[in-house]
Amino acid sequence: MIKFIDFYADWCGPCKIMTPLVEEIESEFEGKVEFEKVDVEAQGEKAAKFGIMSIPTFVIVEGDKEIDRKIGAMPKETLRDWINSNV
């Protein structure tokens, strides 16, 4: 199963826009994709491990290997299609 990691911060405007969209997508992919949220300020070591330079950043991981990433806010359909292309 792939993992979708959402790197965000509470003060980030685009992150706040994406939060409800990611939550909706999460329910659609239940059982197919594992979702994880990473607060870049509280979990800086994990953000550094992935080389996160801007937020929101979305990373798809399979096992310990990064498969793909997207940076910035996007429409729900774009996010869904991107995840589908990696499932």
Side-chain angles (χ1 to χ4, degrees):
M1 181 182 314
I2 65 168
K3 181 188 280 189
F4 173 95
I5 307 173
D6 176 3
F7 291 92
Y8 76 99
D10 290 335
W11 49 262
C12 166
C15 300
K16 289 178 183 180
I17 291 168
M18 291 303 296
T19 296
L21 303 180
V22 171
E23 289 170 356
E24 289 173 29
I25 294 283
E26 184 173 356
S27 66
E28 293 176 28
F29 285 94
E30 191 172 338
K32 296 182 209 167
V33 178
E34 179 183 346
F35 283 76
E36 178 181 358
K37 288 185 70 72
V38 176
D39 182 332
V40 297
E41 292 187 328
Q43 298 171 278
E45 70 289 337
K46 188 154 192 170
K49 175 185 169 192
F50 281 90
I52 303 302
M53 302 300 286
S54 41
I55 51 175
T57 295
F58 307 103
V59 177
I60 293 180
V61 176
E62 188 168 22
D64 288 335
K65 184 180 175 201
E66 180 177 328
I67 304 290
D68 202 359
R69 78 170 51 198
K70 290 249 187 219
I71 299 170
M74 66 193 83
K76 184 171 134 179
E77 295 75 25
T78 303
L79 182 62
R80 181 189 300 114
D81 291 346
W82 176 62
I83 295 170
N84 266 325
S85 72
N86 286 286
V87 173

